[in-house]
């Protein structure tokens, strides 16, 4: 019997990489996208292959329609698509709203919202005829916290994805598809360094009721449970993985 196929965007590091490794151990074959970190994606694929998965990588900036066309050409050549972990996203250096530029906002929304929505749309086109499939959108607790003086633009993109998750879920549930969001909190990944503040998670850990940061593996465990039959009656909402924050 063939293994189910999962597409993971932004899989070269952090939460995407953790999801890929765990999905491989739970019986999935994988298509993994990356934007710039080819070596990271190759390492993740190698780990997935060691766990028994057939894993392929493809370079793709999800904000570029031509890149998405190439991704889904590979999906179609590989087999039916069973699951999507819609994870690719970016964050900019900490700044106030008054200092945001059009260029930064355009890039942030192109990747985190428009790109993610187009990826999900292409997944739906392939899942609906089969009458099954799961889409997990990786959002953020920033969507309700707001991230003032830091990443209000990033928070706004993730709030958009929360609403998109609900709307898409309602649209495709009658066809047998499930759509969920997972909202990580302070997770130890490279995204903080990419935002210019590598120590951010540790510095804010005392604001978390559990008094610690989370790991990418803990987020992956939630994602893979939502993809499982154990979550067969769960759709249309967003699960916080935040330590209570």
């Amino acid at each position: 019997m063939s293994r189910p196929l999962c597409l993971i965007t932004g899989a070269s590091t952090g939460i995407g990489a953790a999801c890929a490794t765990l999905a491989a151990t739970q019986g999935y074959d994988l298509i993994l996208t990356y934007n710039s970190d080819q070596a990271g994606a190759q390492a993740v694929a190698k780990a997935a292959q060691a766990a028994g998965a057939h894993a392929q990588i493809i370079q793709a900036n999800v904000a570029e329609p031509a890149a998405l066309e190439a991704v889904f050409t590979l999906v179609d050549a590989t087999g039916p698509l069973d699951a999507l972990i819609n994870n690719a996203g970016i964050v900019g250096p900490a700044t106030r709203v008054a200092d945001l530029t059009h260029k930064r906002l355009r890039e942030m929304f192109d990747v985190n919202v428009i790109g993610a929505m187009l990826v999900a749309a292409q997944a739906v086109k392939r899942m609906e005829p089969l009458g099954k499939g799961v889409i997990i959108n990786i959002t953020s607790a920033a969507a309700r916290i707001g991230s003032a003086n830091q990443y209000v633009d990033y928070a706004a993109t993730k709030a958009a994805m929360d609403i998109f998750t609900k709307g898409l879920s309602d649209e495709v549930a009658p066809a047998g598809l499930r759509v969920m969001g997972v909202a990580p909190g302070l997770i130890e990944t490279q995204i903080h360094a990419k935002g210019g503040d590598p120590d951010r998670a540790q510095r804010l850990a005392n604001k978390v009721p559990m008094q610690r940061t989370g790991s990418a593996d803990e987020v992956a465990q939630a994602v893979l449970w939502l993809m499982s039959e154990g979550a067969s009656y769960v759709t249309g909402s967003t699960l916080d993985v935040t330590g209570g924050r």
Side-chain angles (χ1 to χ4, degrees), residues 18-242:
C19 288
T21 303
L22 186 59
T25 67
Q26 295 191 8
Y28 286 90
D29 285 337
L30 303 170
I31 293 176
L32 311 173
T33 80
Y34 68 95
N35 184 27
S36 58
D37 186 3
Q38 182 180 21
Q42 288 172 334
V44 173
K46 185 175 180 180
Q49 289 160 357
H54 180 251
Q56 303 173 80
I57 67 170
I58 181 170
Q59 193 279 331
N61 179 347
V62 298
E64 298 176 358
L68 296 187
E69 183 176 347
V71 169
F72 282 94
T73 296
L74 178 59
V75 168
D76 292 340
T78 303
L81 181 63
D82 297 276
L84 163 66
I85 301 174
N86 208 1
N87 171 70
I90 60 171
V91 67
T95 189
R96 299 181 71 247
V97 169
D99 297 319
L100 289 172
T101 64
H102 180 271
K103 180 181 178 182
R104 169 165 162 158
L105 288 170
R106 182 75 269 172
E107 183 179 16
M108 190 74 60
F109 278 82
D110 277 350
V111 174
N112 291 3
V113 181
I114 297 173
M117 290 176 71
L118 290 174
V119 170
Q122 290 299 318
V124 166
K125 288 180 180 179
R126 287 152 177 84
M127 292 173 174
E128 273 191 321
L130 303 176
K132 63 185 180 71
V134 182
I135 295 172
I136 308 294
N137 294 319
I138 305 299
T139 67
S140 174
R144 54 180 171 73
I145 294 170
S147 299
N149 300 302
Q150 297 177 7
Y151 324 120
V152 173
D153 54 343
Y154 172 81
T157 66
K158 294 304 185 177
M161 288 305 297
D162 284 346
I163 296 302
F164 174 67
T165 296
K166 173 58 176 169
L168 179 61
S169 172
D170 289 354
E171 196 167 288
V172 301
L177 279 60
R178 295 190 298 111
V179 184
M180 283 290 298
V182 170
L186 286 169
I187 307 300
E188 293 284 357
T189 72
Q190 294 179 10
I191 196 168
H192 305 288
K194 290 176 180 177
D197 191 358
D199 299 323
R200 178 175 178 269
Q202 285 293 339
R203 191 178 67 252
L204 297 178
N206 63 352
K207 297 182 180 295
V208 179
M210 291 182 72
Q211 295 291 293
R212 68 173 179 88
T213 58
S215 71
D217 288 338
E218 288 175 309
V219 179
Q221 290 286 347
V223 170
L224 268 292
W225 175 72
L226 287 171
M227 285 166 50
S228 75
E229 282 302 309
S232 58
Y233 200 52
V234 181
T235 194
S237 57
T238 296
L239 174 65
D240 280 358
V241 184
T242 63

